[in-house]
Amino acid sequence: MNNVSADPQLAEPYLLGWLASLGLDVEYVRAEGNTLYYLGASGEEIPVLDFAGGYGSLILGHNHPEITTYAQQLLASGTPVHAQFSRHPYANDVAVALNRIIQRELGTEDNYSAIFANTGAEAVEAAIKHAELDRGLRLAELRGRLEENLAAARAAVTAGAGVAPQAYRLAGVDAWPGTAGFEALASAVERHNAEQTARPPVLLALEGGFHGKLVGSVQLTHNEGYRAPFAALGAPARFISADSPQALKAIFESERATVFDLVVERDTVSVIERDSPVFCALVLEPIQGEGGIRVLTEEFAQEIQRACAEADCPVVVDEVQSGMGRSGDFLASSALGLRGDYYVLAKSLGGGIAKTSVMLAHQSRYRSEFELVHSSTFAKDAFSCFLSKKVLEILEADDGAAYRVVRERGEKLLGMLAAVRADFPDVVKDVRGRGLMLGLEFHDQSGSGSEAIRESAPLLGYTVAGYLMREHRIRTFPTASAVNTLRFEPSLYLTDTETDQLERGLRGACRLFRTHDGAGLTGTAVEA
């Protein structure tokens, strides 16, 4: 499958060796639709059916002819890539198009301002940075009001106003008459407020979630193997189980920050307890990709909406993998009735060619100051923006026919996976997902009668991926944080023939598990 170079392997050599051990070290030379090609021993092209789909980046497939032709035209015309700090109307065109689609799906006229980036992880970090900037500005505004009200209360007491006993009780100080008592109260209030407003931001995410591997985004990724080595570099997140809606309320209650506000009413100074903005954001995927293709329930989505609104905690909806029509709707979250304060889109936004992403911030949250403190060299360039606009035009054509195709193709693919599970319930634990973002989970095989299968159990999905490649010329991988689950994320041009090919491969693997045929599964020598 490969032409081995005599040069030393310096580009991620460990990973290359690991792929070779699984039979996945394939060098692809051409791609179209749902097919990748490598060269055989005689130089002939050998097709491989691609169900990995660029980890969800290819809703329109490899090298979509309309997109590639357009890209060639853009390059031939000398379209500038590096024209930073200038007018970018093409970026605004993408933002307007995205808003029209989102407004339609959410049934709203609200606008979302766009900040462009290059990758999903970068856009997630932009959302978190923006949310923290917004929190910091709200905190500064609150501190300013508290200081103004304290000064007004001090002036009122000097002029003869009294202090309500409730104020002393709430602040936890003894009631003294006159200005001396007020100053003791004021000092206690200032100490309390300084402690509360200096608390670090609270970041929330869901168990099983994956939001990238950069310094900030990896702290929102639940998989400890990715997160723990870099924990000292970023703000830690609190993780919530999607199976326990009450846990979210409990965290909001336990982490709540309050300040004391001295107010003057009818010549009397009293204390009002106010919430201080301590919650930076809750970040979630409506369909957890790397967590095993798990769809958030409508019930939990509604609970998130209610609880976050009550706590004034912005919701960041990570649609990097599930968005752009992959679920059968442009936003997977819209079908759950979930509205985000922020949306993050990437992957298929670039049409399988451009590396681009976008963070969208609701008009009620957006801070224009962010545009001066955040930037990215390759963000918002003409080439990627023009291609993104073309992708949106293709998806929206014929009254959104692409979404209907995704739903129809997805239902057939899901039906096939369900049939495999029904025939092999001892091997297949579950199938799940929406649209063309589907997963098949195998039962744990650590108790198999085959030593080879038992040894492969910790990385079972990769072993199955190697078998599918070797025996059926099918490319797919397990999800990163749930390696017993295979992902299936083909383009919307998936055919019945391609679905049938996958079914043959999966049934072949299931038979090998059932018969404890480790040699057949791993491609090794016959077991003793």
Side-chain angles (χ1 to χ4, degrees):
M1 294 184 185
N2 307 288
N3 294 316
V4 180
S5 171
D7 292 331
Q9 294 297 322
L10 303 178
E12 299 184 333
Y14 174 79
L15 180 60
L16 179 61
W18 187 66
L19 290 173
S21 71
L22 297 166
L24 296 173
D25 59 328
V26 181
E27 178 187 356
Y28 295 104
V29 298
R30 192 167 68 86
E32 62 180 356
N34 288 315
T35 305
L36 286 157
Y37 298 87
Y38 69 88
L39 298 180
S42 302
E44 75 281 14
E45 284 191 340
I46 298 177
V48 173
L49 176 57
D50 184 13
F51 273 92
Y55 297 115
S57 299
L58 298 168
I59 192 63
L60 298 178
H62 290 279
N63 292 318
H64 186 284
E66 190 173 348
I67 295 172
T68 54
T69 298
Y70 190 41
Q72 291 165 353
Q73 292 171 351
L74 292 171
L75 294 174
S77 66
T79 299
V81 174
H82 293 283
Q84 300 91 335
F85 223 66
S86 62
R87 187 168 175 266
H88 293 195
Y90 33 80
N92 192 65
D93 290 343
V94 176
V96 169
L98 286 168
N99 269 274
R100 286 173 179 163
I101 297 170
I102 292 172
Q103 288 167 353
R104 182 194 69 226
E105 286 211 351
L106 299 183
T108 180
E109 295 182 356
D110 295 350
N111 284 319
Y112 287 80
S113 295
I115 298 292
F116 288 84
N118 304 291
T119 68
E122 185 186 346
V124 167
E125 295 213 357
I128 296 302
K129 284 178 64 179
H130 186 283
E132 178 58 14
L133 176 68
D134 176 50
R135 189 189 76 89
L137 292 173
R138 286 186 287 124
L139 199 57
E141 292 164 2
L142 176 62
R143 287 193 185 108
R145 289 197 301 271
L146 294 175
E147 291 173 1
E148 289 176 3
N149 289 346
L150 174 60
R154 180 176 280 115
V157 169
T158 301
V163 179
Q166 161 266 0
Y168 291 103
R169 289 196 300 272
L170 192 60
V173 297
D174 295 331
W176 300 350
T179 57
F182 173 79
E183 290 305 325
L185 170 64
S187 294
V189 166
E190 286 181 310
R191 285 195 301 273
H192 172 83
N193 289 352
E195 292 173 358
Q196 292 293 296
T197 57
R199 285 175 55 182
V202 177
L203 274 168
L204 304 173
L206 298 189
E207 292 180 359
F210 182 96
H211 303 287
K213 295 179 181 177
L214 300 181
V215 169
S217 60
V218 76
Q219 297 307 318
L220 302 166
T221 292
H222 185 238
N223 188 321
E224 190 173 6
Y226 299 141
R227 178 168 42 88
F230 313 104
L233 298 178
R238 294 282 302 274
F239 291 99
I240 305 161
S241 171
D243 297 326
S244 179
Q246 293 304 315
L248 181 59
K249 285 186 176 180
I251 288 179
F252 279 143
E253 187 58 36
S254 66
E255 296 287 352
R256 180 174 174 239
T258 58
V259 294
F260 296 147
D261 189 8
L262 292 172
V263 296
V264 182
E265 296 177 331
R266 299 191 181 93
D267 295 326
T268 300
V269 174
S270 60
V271 171
I272 295 176
E273 196 172 19
R274 302 189 188 279
D275 285 332
S276 177
V278 70
F279 299 106
C280 176
L282 184 153
V283 188
L284 61 86
E285 301 161 279
I287 304 176
Q288 291 186 335
E290 306 310 321
I293 317 295
R294 297 186 180 277
V295 183
L296 202 67
T297 67
E298 290 187 37
E299 293 76 16
F300 190 43
Q302 292 166 9
E303 181 58 35
I304 287 170
Q305 200 86 78
R306 285 192 296 268
C308 287
E310 291 174 4
D312 193 24
C313 176
V315 178
V316 177
V317 183
D318 181 346
E319 294 265 12
V320 168
Q321 192 168 166
S322 60
M324 300 297 300
R326 181 154 292 282
S327 71
D329 296 285
F330 186 79
L331 298 173
S333 53
S334 66
L336 302 174
L338 180 64
R339 294 191 179 192
D341 297 283
Y342 298 86
Y343 290 98
V344 180
L345 294 165
K347 290 190 182 289
S348 288
L349 181 63
I353 295 178
K355 298 174 179 66
T356 187
S357 61
V358 67
M359 178 273 281
L360 299 165
H362 190 270
Q363 59 189 24
S364 64
R365 297 273 182 186
Y366 189 66
R367 298 282 188 165
S368 58
E369 297 93 328
F370 189 73
E371 299 171 26
L372 302 178
V373 296
H374 178 87
S375 61
S376 177
T377 298
F378 285 91
K380 206 169 61 171
D381 68 279
F383 182 75
S384 63
C385 287
F386 280 128
L387 290 183
S388 295
K389 183 67 163 28
K390 177 64 69 175
V391 170
L392 297 177
E393 290 171 358
I394 293 172
L395 292 176
E396 290 287 300
D398 299 326
D399 196 27
Y403 311 123
R404 296 191 294 274
V405 171
V406 169
R407 289 193 288 269
E408 183 267 328
R409 293 281 88 192
E411 287 174 5
K412 286 192 174 183
L413 182 57
L414 183 62
M416 181 276 284
L417 298 176
V420 172
R421 182 193 181 197
D423 289 344
F424 295 91
D426 53 324
V427 176
V428 179
K429 183 176 181 179
D430 194 18
V431 297
R432 52 185 175 261
R434 278 185 51 209
L436 289 173
M437 187 174 177
L438 303 176
L440 180 146
E441 181 181 4
F442 291 100
H443 285 292
D444 175 54
Q445 296 294 321
S446 57
S448 172
S450 161
E451 181 180 357
I453 293 177
R454 290 196 305 272
E455 290 178 349
S456 73
L459 295 171
L460 188 68
Y462 289 102
T463 300
V464 179
Y467 163 80
L468 291 173
M469 169 62 72
R470 186 180 67 253
E471 301 296 335
H472 297 275
R473 298 294 178 259
I474 294 171
R475 168 182 161 90
T476 192
F477 303 110
T479 56
S481 300
V483 295
N484 278 19
T485 299
L486 288 182
R487 72 172 79 234
F488 305 106
E489 300 183 72
S491 80
L492 61 84
Y493 303 110
L494 179 70
T495 67
D496 290 342
T497 299
E498 291 169 335
T499 300
D500 291 344
Q501 183 177 342
L502 176 63
E503 181 174 13
R504 288 192 297 273
L506 291 174
R507 288 183 178 275
C510 288
R511 282 191 290 269
L512 295 174
F513 279 124
R514 177 174 283 176
T515 60
H516 309 287
D517 186 352
L521 186 69
T522 62
T524 57
V526 177
E527 294 181 286

